[in-house]
Amino acid sequence: MSLFLIVALPFLGALLPGLMNSAGRQAVGGVTFTVSLAAFIGLLTNLPAILAGEVVQTGFNWFPQLGLNVTLMLDGLGFFFALLILGIGMLIIVYGRHYLAREDNMGEFFTYLLLFQGAMVGIVLSDNILLLLIFWELTSLSSFLLIGYWKHLEAGRQGARMALTVTGMGGLAMIGGMLILGNIAGSYDLSVILQNREAIQADPLYVPALLLILIGCFTKSAQFPFHFWLPHAMAAPTPVSAYLHSATMVKAGIFLMARMWPVLSGTPEWFYVVTTAGLITMVLGAVIALFKHDLKALLAFSTVSHLGLITMLLGTGTAFGAMVAVFHILNHATFKAALFMSAGIVDHETKTRDIRILGGLRHLMPITFVIATLGALSMAGIPLLNGFLSKEMMLKEMEKTYLFGPEWLVPALVTFGSLMSAAYCFRLIGHTFLGKKRDPESYPAKPHDPGPGLWLPPAILIVLVVAIGVAPFLAAPFVKLVTASVIGSVAEVPDYTIKIWHGVNTPLIMSIIAIVGGLIVLALFKPLLAVWDKTPRPEAKSIFDDIIAALLMWARWAIHPLHNGAFTRYAMIATIAILAAGYHAWTTGTVGEAVRAVQPIGWVEVAGWVMLAAATVGLASLHHNRLLALILIGIVGLMVSVGFVYLSAPDLAMTQITVEVVTIILLLLALNFLPNVTPEESPLWKRIRDVSVAAVGGLAAMALSYHYLLRDAVVAPISEFHLANSYKGGGGTNVVNVILVDFRGFDTYAEIIVLGIAALLIYALTETLLSGPVRARLLNRVPDKPLSGTQHPMMMVVLTRVMMPVVLMVGFYIFLRGHNEPGGGFIAGLVVSIGVVMQYMASGFAWAEDRQRFPYHGIIGAGVLIAGLTGIGSWFVGKPFMTTDFTYVRIPPFQEFELATALLFDLGVFLAVLGAVMLSLESFSRLARRAHIKDSDEPMDIDPSRDQAVPNTNPEGV
Amino acid sequence: MEVLVASAIGIMTAAGLYLVMRLRTFPVILGISLLTYAVNVFLFASGRLTVGAPPILTDAEVYADPLPQALVLTAIVISFGMTAVVVMISLGAYLGSNDDRVNDPKSDETEDVT
């Protein structure tokens, strides 16, 4: 199967569980499993090529200018990780299906899980490192969603935020590192980068790149000092912990270190940084794990410790170290996922994870006991289980490693770490399952073994643990294959036989010390715990919280003086800032010569200007009377449209004047509820201040416009092209319309979508208002002005009904002629909507609603669909999206006329505009409708009660 | 001619800015509308001023610049949508709290409100 499909399947499949939520939990789980299985089988079809030592590659150019291409690569290492991700993923899906409670939203969970799975597979199959970064960030995001899946738990939300902060920060560092690396190598393709070891390591920017990439890896894989987020992420549901925090996501950092191993490793910087961080993490994690009472916290810190171990092995930079790391990744994934799942089972059945109240579960949950014990023993490094093999090899590798200080330091620390590791494993078994048999009632819930849905997935993993442990030769060839692709051409795969018995050697002795020591530590656990509890130690979470709090305080200190909730202040600051920037540009830039002749001014122009200026100034000074202000702004709009006509823009004038009408209707509807006067509030000095700022802004706008009106554009405008090609290429003589529906059709398409969204937003806000506490207020509202005696005056009713067909005809005419004469979909839509609104106004809401055939949402949707489908139609003739075509036909007795696909597109525009305007206005009037309750649809219905009604004269409105 | 258009833009901008800095929602909305006019005319004028030569292809030699016109046409329609949303939001806020001030009560700009 194509690599594309393997990566894409989980992403595409992620839609299914969410959509199928209502089909039941079984179906959701089933479809999720099928998706994973399909990707898994797809991966396996590539197995023969991998075994033959080939590297499967595929790809296409995405943004070649940026070096960002979708190139995928599958080699041994990628295959290994993809196998873990998809294989364990399937087990987790089965487990999760049975783990989640009835009230959990399973579709949501599996959608997130598949998104995560796709992102992980993307990381391990990426060839392009920029693509890899995208997937890297996607894992951070999807793990955020998964950790915070139980939104009601505060710990879950906090843990999710912490994980996102830490891994997100690391991701940022990593972007920097990867960009440097790609710059040095001259390509962002891994296959090229991996060939450039010498060039990269010799570059002066090698160390910054290395450190940045390592920060990314360390944060993701919870290495010291970034280890603290992982235990807090344990607030996630257990399937998530088992999947993300043991088997996959935390291994992403390890994966990247392994992937970059051939180019980055082998230098002193790599050795000291990586090995030291790994060693500290391993020992620290093991010590903390021992004293954790929460089963999952214990496992979390043990994961931290084991990830440290793997990091340390990769840090040594030897081929043997790399091989042990690969082997331990495999072993750790198997036993740790099984252990997490058994911890989840214990939690599920006993309703607690506190080791202190558990114990004696061996008798009540024998199956879980066997699974957990085998897993824990493997983790402790007991022979015949796979953990033993990799731990022995690790000890062999570390025994000869020298970091600093005395020569025995590293081996001693590693042995100590293994000892603590053995101790917490024994504690896990001893304090949870062993101990004397207890009454089932003494647990928070009555424990018993779960159904096979929960125990089978970990059991399958435990079978692997035992199989590899007993017969290591089964896994050895695969481990060597993966190792070969990790180390690339840098070194030879070591000739080492993975087997149980190597004779009595130093690693074995270290191992025995660790196991015996672990038993002793467990025996002394109580006094040790007392000491531990008394020892003061820095708490990573509180340090993290303090840092965040300090950053927040700093941000508030910087922002609050500017951003204090006073909109007026923002407006002022923005105006002054823009003016200052403009002034700077004005004083530092150069102004060209005025080359255009000034056009003469006649009386007509002056008259128009005076009307506009008078209305505008009047509006600003008389705005306290809101109805008057509305009239004045109407005059301004009218004069602007007159100006458009005069200045050769008939389309603009028609649009402006129709929009003006609907805007005024809209504001009138709003004023129905809002107070009719604006109180005088600002003291005189504030008004003078505001007038001054506004005047300077106005002068600046005027100066700028005046200057450019007298000059030609610096670069020749592209308008000539449109004028020249409008008829030839677009088949229309109205260039503005051809630009809208043809040249810039995609823009227009987006515009009508925005318009539709705005209308839907208004509808949604109205719905919210009408279903909330405002509704009662509206119902009890007394109109603030006396109502007219007739709600629907006869003359207006007759007139609007007679006019309706005429309006429709005019709209149709404007629409049809739009391609060649002023008009088109936008204007026609506005004209028709004014016609419809008039029906609402004259004959009443109920009357109009009765006669409304299609809901306005549907009209918007139909418009967007028609426009979109017209655009898509050009694909079928092999043209790019939204290519238009036209032809001329002649049906006798008519004149020859033009048929253009652009007309169809314009129809979409028409419908979307009509629907959007109508939906907005209708929403507003629905508020009023509820307010009045009574809504007669008869013309000439005189309201006899009006003579008794006492009009509410309160000018403040409602 | 140019000075008339430029000064009209300037007057509308000044009045718009002044109204935007008022303390109640309705004048602020009117101010935004005025600014919209100003910006639309400003954009339209970037095609320079042409009298009596609409961009409808005929035998004429000179046409007005069609591109700013197309941009402004959609801008006018979109600004209607945006005005409607802002009006709806302010209406909702007023109906919900019986207050049509634009500033947060705790911000110091409202101190002088009596």
Side-chain angles (χ1 to χ4, degrees):
Chain A
M1 191 189 284
S2 159
L3 298 185
F4 288 129
L5 211 52
I6 300 174
V7 178
L9 261 176
F11 282 114
L12 297 175
L15 291 169
L16 296 175
L19 291 174
M20 291 180 55
N21 219 358
S22 51
R25 293 143 53 86
Q26 196 65 37
V28 170
V31 73
T32 315
F33 185 82
T34 316
V35 168
S36 272
L37 182 69
F40 186 74
I41 293 171
L43 183 73
L44 289 186
T45 57
N46 288 298
L47 183 59
I50 299 297
L51 289 181
E54 290 169 28
V55 176
V56 185
Q57 274 182 314
T58 176
F60 62 88
N61 282 351
W62 187 13
F63 291 119
Q65 301 91 331
L66 297 177
L68 171 54
N69 296 318
V70 181
T71 46
L72 300 177
M73 170 180 88
L74 184 70
D75 63 351
L77 180 64
F79 184 84
F80 171 49
F81 270 89
L83 199 69
L84 285 181
I85 294 158
L86 293 169
I88 296 185
M90 286 192 295
L91 299 178
I92 295 290
I93 290 164
V94 174
Y95 181 83
R97 151 74 187 86
H98 295 94
Y99 181 87
L100 288 186
R102 197 164 286 281
E103 57 273 15
D104 293 327
N105 185 340
M106 192 170 276
E108 184 189 352
F109 181 78
F110 279 131
T111 294
Y112 296 161
L113 199 77
L114 282 178
L115 281 178
F116 170 77
Q117 193 176 61
M120 271 313 289
V121 175
I123 287 184
V124 300
L125 294 192
S126 290
D127 184 14
N128 188 289
I129 51 176
L130 299 179
L131 186 69
L132 188 149
L133 285 172
I134 294 173
F135 286 122
W136 186 274
E137 296 297 324
L138 279 178
T139 59
S140 291
L141 288 178
S142 50
S143 77
F144 170 77
L145 294 171
L146 281 169
I147 297 170
Y149 170 71
W150 279 330
K151 301 175 191 73
H152 55 281
L153 296 183
E154 201 195 341
R157 300 197 303 267
Q158 272 184 359
R161 276 202 302 272
M162 189 191 276
L164 186 68
T165 313
V166 177
T167 55
M169 250 168 37
L172 274 179
M174 177 115 111
I175 291 176
M178 289 294 201
L179 290 178
I180 298 177
L181 195 67
N183 241 352
I184 301 174
S187 164
Y188 290 111
D189 283 343
L190 268 175
S191 33
V192 179
I193 293 173
L194 292 183
Q195 307 300 324
N196 281 309
R197 178 188 167 93
E198 285 77 24
I200 289 169
Q201 296 197 348
D203 199 277
L205 286 176
Y206 163 74
V207 176
L210 174 73
L211 290 179
L212 288 171
I213 293 176
L214 283 181
I215 289 176
C217 295
F218 285 1
T219 49
K220 200 76 158 184
S221 287
Q223 293 301 296
F224 179 83
F226 307 111
H227 60 284
F228 55 90
W229 68 265
L230 185 58
H232 290 285
M234 291 299 143
T238 304
V240 175
S241 312
Y243 193 32
L244 275 67
H245 306 125
S246 74
T248 54
M249 190 181 81
V250 290
K251 299 252 167 68
I254 305 271
F255 165 80
L256 206 69
M257 285 190 266
R259 181 96 278 178
M260 294 290 176
W261 194 89
V263 279
L264 295 183
S265 78
T267 58
E269 293 89 350
W270 167 276
F271 175 68
Y272 282 112
V273 174
V274 179
T275 313
T276 311
L279 184 63
I280 296 177
T281 314
M282 178 198 164
V283 176
L284 194 70
V287 174
I288 301 177
L290 176 64
F291 297 106
K292 285 287 164 189
H293 303 304
D294 179 351
L295 266 181
K296 276 175 79 177
L298 188 156
L299 288 174
F301 276 105
S302 86
T303 305
V304 169
S305 169
H306 278 265
L307 293 169
L309 189 157
I310 300 170
T311 305
M312 176 176 82
L313 285 166
L314 287 169
T316 60
T318 64
F320 185 72
M323 181 162 97
V324 186
V326 169
F327 192 32
H328 199 68
I329 292 169
L330 172 66
N331 295 339
H332 179 250
T334 50
F335 65 67
K336 187 53 66 65
L339 276 172
F340 262 115
M341 288 195 246
S342 9
I345 295 176
V346 171
D347 186 19
H348 202 252
E349 301 305 328
T350 65
K351 302 288 170 237
T352 181
R353 302 193 305 247
D354 193 331
I355 297 177
R356 286 169 299 183
I357 34 181
L358 291 169
L361 286 177
R362 173 168 60 107
H363 309 281
L364 298 162
M365 307 172 75
I367 303 174
T368 318
F369 165 65
V370 171
I371 294 170
T373 305
L374 286 173
L377 290 179
S378 174
M379 180 155 75
I382 303 295
L384 296 184
L385 299 166
N386 62 1
F388 169 74
L389 300 166
S390 43
K391 190 161 263 183
E392 285 279 298
M393 288 162 72
M394 179 273 288
L395 292 171
K396 178 174 153 57
E397 169 71 12
M398 299 316 292
E399 128 195 45
K400 53 185 196 294
T401 303
Y402 173 77
L403 206 54
F404 46 75
E407 254 173 46
W408 49 265
L409 183 69
V410 172
L413 280 174
V414 170
T415 313
F416 176 67
S418 309
L419 185 153
M420 295 309 278
S421 174
Y424 67 66
C425 294
F426 296 145
R427 176 166 184 239
L428 174 72
I429 303 169
H431 290 186
T432 313
F433 293 100
L434 301 184
K436 57 181 185 298
K437 187 170 179 176
R438 276 163 54 183
D439 177 17
E441 303 291 338
S442 67
Y443 301 96
K446 224 168 141 180
H448 56 84
D449 265 324
L454 283 181
W455 65 254
L456 203 56
I460 292 173
L461 290 171
I462 288 299
V463 168
L464 281 175
V465 166
V466 179
I468 298 174
V470 176
F473 56 86
L474 291 176
F478 186 64
V479 170
K480 291 198 171 172
L481 181 84
V482 176
T483 310
S485 71
V486 170
I487 56 185
S489 53
V490 176
E492 290 289 309
V493 178
D495 181 25
Y496 176 86
T497 320
I498 304 177
K499 57 182 179 184
I500 301 171
W501 182 249
H502 284 279
V504 179
N505 49 14
T506 326
L508 188 70
I509 294 167
M510 289 159 84
S511 217
I512 292 170
I513 295 174
I515 291 170
V516 175
L519 287 170
I520 296 171
V521 167
L522 186 64
L524 298 174
F525 182 72
K526 276 205 171 138
L528 283 176
L529 180 65
V531 174
W532 174 261
D533 283 344
K534 284 209 187 84
T535 326
R537 52 187 181 273
E539 190 63 48
K541 181 174 183 320
S542 60
I543 296 173
F544 175 82
D545 288 345
D546 288 348
I547 293 175
I548 296 287
L551 284 175
L552 266 182
M553 220 169 68
W554 185 77
R556 284 205 188 103
W557 172 81
I559 291 167
H560 271 200
L562 297 175
H563 204 274
N564 65 344
F567 179 84
T568 318
R569 175 180 288 205
Y570 312 160
M572 178 74 82
I573 292 172
T575 311
I576 292 175
I578 293 169
L579 284 173
Y583 180 76
H584 174 74
W586 178 263
T587 47
T588 55
T590 49
V591 183
E593 282 297 303
V595 291
R596 293 175 77 95
V598 175
Q599 297 181 45
I601 302 175
W603 286 111
V604 180
E605 291 95 324
V606 172
W609 183 89
V610 167
M611 279 189 262
L612 182 113
T616 315
V617 174
L619 172 59
S621 42
L622 303 172
H623 73 92
H624 293 285
N625 182 341
R626 293 182 171 181
L627 280 170
L628 182 61
L630 211 53
I631 294 172
L632 287 170
I633 201 162
I635 297 176
V636 176
L638 197 65
M639 291 322 295
V640 168
S641 28
V642 170
F644 283 142
V645 175
Y646 185 72
L647 294 169
S648 317
D651 286 281
L652 283 192
M654 290 166 85
T655 315
Q656 180 72 65
I657 204 159
T658 41
V659 163
E660 207 50 50
V661 173
V662 286
T663 309
I664 297 291
I665 294 175
L666 179 97
L667 289 172
L668 269 175
L669 282 169
L671 266 192
N672 193 14
F673 301 97
L674 290 171
N676 289 328
V677 290
T678 308
E680 291 263 4
E681 284 174 328
S682 308
L684 185 63
W685 71 267
K686 280 203 169 179
R687 271 181 281 159
I688 292 175
R689 180 195 66 185
D690 293 351
V691 167
S692 330
V693 173
V696 176
L699 279 173
M702 173 177 166
L704 182 61
S705 338
Y706 186 67
H707 265 81
Y708 81 50
L709 279 175
L710 293 182
R711 285 158 182 82
D712 279 325
V714 181
V715 183
I718 53 172
S719 313
E720 281 308 315
F721 169 84
H722 295 104
L723 285 168
N725 286 292
S726 171
Y727 187 71
K728 260 193 302 182
T733 52
N734 180 2
V735 188
V736 174
N737 183 269
V738 176
I739 291 175
L740 285 176
V741 298
D742 193 337
F743 292 123
R744 311 291 302 164
F746 203 47
D747 285 0
T748 311
Y749 183 53
E751 304 249 19
I752 59 174
I753 293 176
V754 172
L755 196 64
I757 292 173
L760 290 178
L761 180 60
I762 291 166
Y763 175 77
L765 284 168
T766 315
E767 282 294 296
T768 318
L769 278 182
L770 287 178
S771 59
V774 171
R775 183 163 177 271
R777 224 172 106 92
L778 286 170
L779 285 175
N780 295 315
R781 174 173 169 270
V782 182
D784 54 351
K785 286 177 276 301
L787 290 175
S788 142
T790 57
Q791 287 189 11
H792 310 297
M794 178 66 100
M795 272 176 62
M796 190 166 166
V797 172
V798 173
L799 202 62
T800 51
R801 289 189 196 174
V802 171
M803 265 171 67
M804 185 68 182
V806 182
V807 172
L808 288 180
M809 197 61 219
V810 170
F812 187 61
Y813 170 67
I814 289 178
F815 172 74
L816 275 187
R817 71 180 215 147
H819 215 43
N820 293 314
E821 296 287 323
F826 274 111
I827 301 164
L830 286 160
V831 167
V832 171
S833 56
I834 292 173
V836 179
V837 167
M838 285 192 332
Q839 304 306 313
Y840 277 88
M841 285 163 46
S843 305
F845 196 99
W847 184 88
E849 199 182 31
D850 279 349
R851 284 151 185 81
Q852 178 194 346
R853 293 256 190 91
F854 308 101
Y856 296 123
H857 315 66
I859 296 181
I860 298 176
V864 172
L865 269 182
I866 289 176
L869 290 175
T870 312
I872 288 174
S874 51
W875 284 346
F876 292 104
V877 292
K879 296 276 179 57
F881 188 57
M882 292 216 169
T883 313
T884 57
D885 199 8
F886 60 93
T887 181
Y888 295 90
V889 290
R890 183 189 161 87
I891 307 171
F894 300 105
Q895 284 189 323
E896 183 183 78
F897 64 95
E898 180 205 6
L899 277 179
T901 57
L903 195 68
L904 211 54
F905 181 81
D906 221 10
L907 178 67
V909 174
F910 166 80
L911 288 176
V913 170
L914 174 65
V917 172
M918 287 317 300
L919 188 61
S920 318
L921 293 178
E922 190 215 23
S923 300
F924 273 91
S925 44
R926 274 187 334 133
L927 290 177
R929 191 175 177 223
R930 304 267 170 131
H932 295 290
I933 305 173
K934 194 160 112 24
D935 191 15
S936 136
D937 61 349
E938 292 299 316
M940 282 300 282
D941 47 350
I942 292 177
D943 175 13
S945 68
R946 90 181 145 148
D947 296 330
Q948 282 93 49
V950 183
N952 178 359
T953 47
N954 174 17
E956 273 290 321
V958 181
Chain B
M1 186 72 202
E2 276 78 6
V3 74
L4 289 186
V5 172
S7 57
I9 293 173
I11 292 170
M12 287 192 289
T13 311
L17 285 175
Y18 175 74
L19 288 179
V20 162
M21 286 183 250
R22 298 303 89 207
L23 297 172
R24 301 286 176 143
T25 51
F26 196 76
V28 171
I29 292 167
L30 292 181
I32 296 172
S33 300
L34 271 184
L35 283 179
T36 310
Y37 291 136
V39 170
N40 284 343
V41 175
F42 179 85
L43 285 180
F44 166 72
S46 71
R48 309 305 188 266
L49 306 180
T50 321
V51 180
I56 310 291
L57 297 180
T58 51
D59 299 332
E61 285 294 311
V62 182
Y63 296 107
D65 192 339
L67 204 55
Q69 296 194 13
L71 297 181
V72 171
L73 198 152
T74 51
I76 294 172
V77 180
I78 289 285
S79 67
F80 163 73
M82 292 305 119
T83 309
V85 171
V86 173
V87 170
M88 190 70 227
I89 291 172
S90 60
L91 191 57
Y94 176 70
L95 290 175
S97 63
N98 203 14
D99 182 5
D100 64 345
R101 291 186 178 86
V102 289
N103 293 342
D104 279 358
K106 58 180 181 297
S107 67
D108 51 18
E109 279 286 324
T110 47
E111 275 167 9
D112 51 79
V113 172
T114 46

